[in-house]
Amino acid sequence: MVSRVIPVDTFDLVIFGGTGDLARRKILPGLYRRFLAGQMPTDARIVGAARGALDDAGYRKFVGEAIEEFVSEKKRDKKKIAAFLDQLSYLTVDARGTAGWKELATKIRKDCVQAFYFSVGPGLFGDIATRLHKYKIANDTSRIVVEKPFGRDLESAHALNEVLAASFDEHQIYRIDHYLGKETVQNLMAVRFANVLFEPLWNAQYIDHVQITVSETVGVGGRGGYYDKSGAMRDMIQNHLMQLLCLTAMEPPSKFDPDAVRDEKLKVIRALDDLVPDDIVRGQYGADADGPSYLEDSENPDSRTESFIALRCHISNWRWKGTPFYLRTGKRLKARVSEIVVYFKETPHSIFDEDAGSHANVLTIRLQPDEGMDMRVTIKEPGPGGMRLVDVPLDMTFADALGPEAKDVPDAYERLIMDVIRGNQTLFMRGDEVEAAWRWTDPIIAGWQARGDKPKVYEPGSSGPEDALMLLHQDGRRWREIKS
Ligand code: NAD
């Protein structure tokens, strides 16, 4: 199978924060890969806009070096890189001042798709939106891409929504959550809604529970100050894990269209029960030979910010009543893994004798490190000697069946940027969704603060605090082992 590259209309893309870490590691290398795939029109233009004084040549050198560092060798073609860099330029712009804005207004074409990527600190999102409007740079069809974090609580997220809404309509605002750009996340929707096989079973009658895990091996070293004001609840649960929960639990939308999908996701968040303290375990990593403790990394010896969280939540609707969703995320854990694991119930009655054991189907949707999906099914162990049952994985990625191109999955940022250019908001968060998620998490955080809860210390390289294991043991279940 040859992968299909759907051409996009020509565009001017301005990357505010075009010299920053995210632009260097993800956005610009991703755009080069789209160029290489033949998806970027030859007259499309990318403008790096940031505070530093650079000229076009200096910026092209900076981007060329980023490609050297972050694009695999087999995709680095000198001529192609030079042609890509030709489509780039740079402008010094001060998000909080006047420098560069008039120049930007004359530079940007009015007769093509305009996209403005806010790859800057969240404190500048409002300043940039306001100036794009004030200097008449953006128009009714321009798109803005807003990075995370989108607020730190309901109040700040609402205020940010209001500031953006003063200059842009909701259909112009693309709040990015790169987890939604993962191939497997979209595959989850395909598997659920393009097969008759799963949807009839996708409910509390047949699904015992769901586990969503996002674990990292690294700590917060280097950005401890920032992280200490955030913590795992704000940094990971409120956005990434809740988005994965929504896609797993939502009702089938009437069509695969931005508002239909986002309406269904919003209903899931609104149906979440409030959590009680016994539903949550918070942790902070200790020190080991490989690195300092969270308290040392954060440079705040009294910090009560969590670097780990595990929680049990329930969705109060007909589909899910009685099926818990367990969410877990943390730093300095055993392995780097992001996965959704759906545990089906056992058959209501086994016709086989006790030696056959008890078996249940498990569907694993893996986002990291290697994207893929498999279903554990029970079969007869081959050979003579009676009926022995064995669980085997059924690979559902079918990468081999689709040919080698299917393994060359575009990075989430590449896909999402192209969706912005196409004007497709399906994989971006809507303002009311983000606010609903904060509305659910705010009281939980406020509860910890009011009680002065201290996170439990856990061993680096482990699966988190013992209490997190107990959270499932109490329910007669166990976490899937964290392994890459
Ligand atoms: P960074 O500090 O590396 O870069 C910031 C950029 O903003 C620089 O280009 C800088 O010149 C520019 N800038 C700062 N002040 C400015 C001003 N007054 N006017 C114009 N430009 C100004 O930050 P980053 O790591 O690239 O992060 C950018 C955004 O992306 C943040 O919102 C961050 O939370 C988010 N994000 C980053 C990552 C990542 O991996 N780096 C991942 C997810 C989200």
Side-chain angles (χ1 to χ4, degrees), residues 91-93 98-108 137:
L91 202 60
T92 304
V93 174
T98 53
W101 290 98
K102 285 190 181 142
E103 292 81 348
L104 188 61
T106 51
K107 197 173 175 89
I108 295 301
I137 299 169

Side-chain angles (χ1 to χ4, degrees), residues 18 28-29 37 43 46 63 70 150 193 333 349 352 359 438 441 447 471:
L28 291 156
D43 57 348
I46 297 164
V63 178
F70 296 105
F150 199 90
F193 305 131
L333 296 177
H349 163 72
F352 305 107
H359 298 266
W438 282 122
T441 52
L471 187 72

Side-chain angles (χ1 to χ4, degrees), residues 294-311:
Y294 177 79
L295 294 179
E296 290 161 314
D297 268 343
S298 73
E299 294 171 11
N300 173 6
D302 301 318
S303 173
R304 295 190 172 191
T305 303
E306 73 286 351
S307 62
F308 173 96
I309 194 161
L311 61 86

Side-chain angles (χ1 to χ4, degrees), residues 17 19-22 25 50-51 93-95 119-122 124 147-149:
T19 55
D21 177 63
L22 183 67
R25 285 192 308 111
R51 212 165 27 173
V93 174
D94 182 2
S119 182
V120 292
L124 298 178
E147 260 299 332
K148 79 167 223 185

Side-chain angles (χ1 to χ4, degrees), residues 66-233:
I67 292 171
E68 270 308 302
E69 193 172 343
F70 296 105
V71 174
S72 63
E73 197 178 348
K74 72 178 188 328
K75 292 202 166 183
R76 293 198 306 258
D77 174 310
K78 273 207 167 73
K79 273 193 185 149
K80 298 268 185 198
I81 294 175
F84 171 72
L85 295 179
D86 262 355
Q87 294 184 236
L88 265 66
S89 62
Y90 182 81
L91 202 60
T92 304
V93 174
D94 182 2
R96 290 223 162 101
T98 53
W101 290 98
K102 285 190 181 142
E103 292 81 348
L104 188 61
T106 51
K107 197 173 175 89
I108 295 301
R109 291 175 294 179
K110 304 281 178 213
D111 56 349
C112 67
V113 173
Q114 296 180 347
F116 301 95
Y117 198 129
F118 297 6
S119 182
V120 292
L124 298 178
F125 294 165
D127 295 301
I128 296 176
T130 308
R131 281 167 176 73
L132 284 172
H133 184 73
K134 179 178 156 194
Y135 286 92
K136 296 190 171 52
I137 299 169
N139 58 41
D140 292 350
T141 60
S142 311
R143 289 139 210 186
I144 59 170
V145 185
V146 186
E147 260 299 332
K148 79 167 223 185
F150 199 90
R152 66 181 316 272
D153 52 22
L154 176 57
E155 195 187 343
S156 54
H158 181 70
L160 182 52
N161 272 334
E162 298 260 287
V163 171
L164 299 182
S167 306
F168 295 93
D169 276 346
E170 183 61 35
H171 77 267
Q172 299 179 275
I173 306 171
Y174 290 71
R175 293 173 195 79
I176 209 160
D177 182 335
H178 69 275
Y179 275 60
L180 299 185
K182 299 263 183 198
E183 182 73 13
T184 342
V185 168
Q186 292 158 77
N187 212 0
L188 167 64
M189 288 191 270
V191 164
R192 279 194 63 191
F193 305 131
N195 295 283
V196 75
L197 218 58
F198 291 97
E199 206 43 33
L201 306 181
W202 207 259
N203 54 52
Q205 196 182 343
Y206 294 103
I207 293 182
D208 180 70
H209 74 284
V210 177
Q211 297 183 12
I212 302 179
T213 297
V214 177
S215 65
E216 294 175 81
T217 52
V218 293
V220 300
R223 54 177 208 127
Y226 156 78
Y227 190 88
D228 207 45
K229 295 190 193 72
S230 166
M233 189 67 156

Side-chain angles (χ1 to χ4, degrees), residues 275-340:
L275 296 190
V276 294
D278 283 352
D279 289 326
I280 310 169
V281 176
R282 298 164 71 224
Q284 264 181 0
Y285 56 82
D288 70 356
D290 295 331
S293 68
Y294 177 79
L295 294 179
E296 290 161 314
D297 268 343
S298 73
E299 294 171 11
N300 173 6
D302 301 318
S303 173
R304 295 190 172 191
T305 303
E306 73 286 351
S307 62
F308 173 96
I309 194 161
L311 61 86
R312 167 180 48 216
C313 58
H314 287 274
I315 301 166
S316 273
N317 61 20
W318 277 40
R319 184 183 285 263
W320 294 117
K321 193 71 194 167
T323 294
F325 283 71
Y326 299 98
L327 274 47
R328 166 176 69 161
T329 182
K331 297 193 178 290
R332 291 225 62 203
L333 296 177
K334 226 173 177 175
R336 179 170 170 260
V337 171
S338 301
E339 63 186 13
I340 304 168

Side-chain angles (χ1 to χ4, degrees), residues 389-449:
L389 301 182
V390 61
D391 291 335
V392 291
L394 180 69
D395 183 359
M396 291 170 60
T397 41
F398 299 122
D400 291 336
L402 297 177
E405 289 91 354
K407 288 188 179 152
D408 198 9
V409 178
D411 177 82
Y413 278 93
E414 288 173 48
R415 175 189 315 272
L416 293 173
I417 294 170
M418 287 300 126
D419 278 357
V420 174
I421 304 298
R422 276 190 214 104
N424 186 342
Q425 288 183 303
T426 311
L427 301 174
F428 295 83
M429 296 179 291
R430 209 168 53 191
D432 52 359
E433 255 186 278
V434 178
E435 289 192 23
W438 282 122
R439 196 169 284 114
W440 188 70
T441 52
D442 271 5
I444 306 170
I445 298 170
W448 302 333
Q449 285 166 350

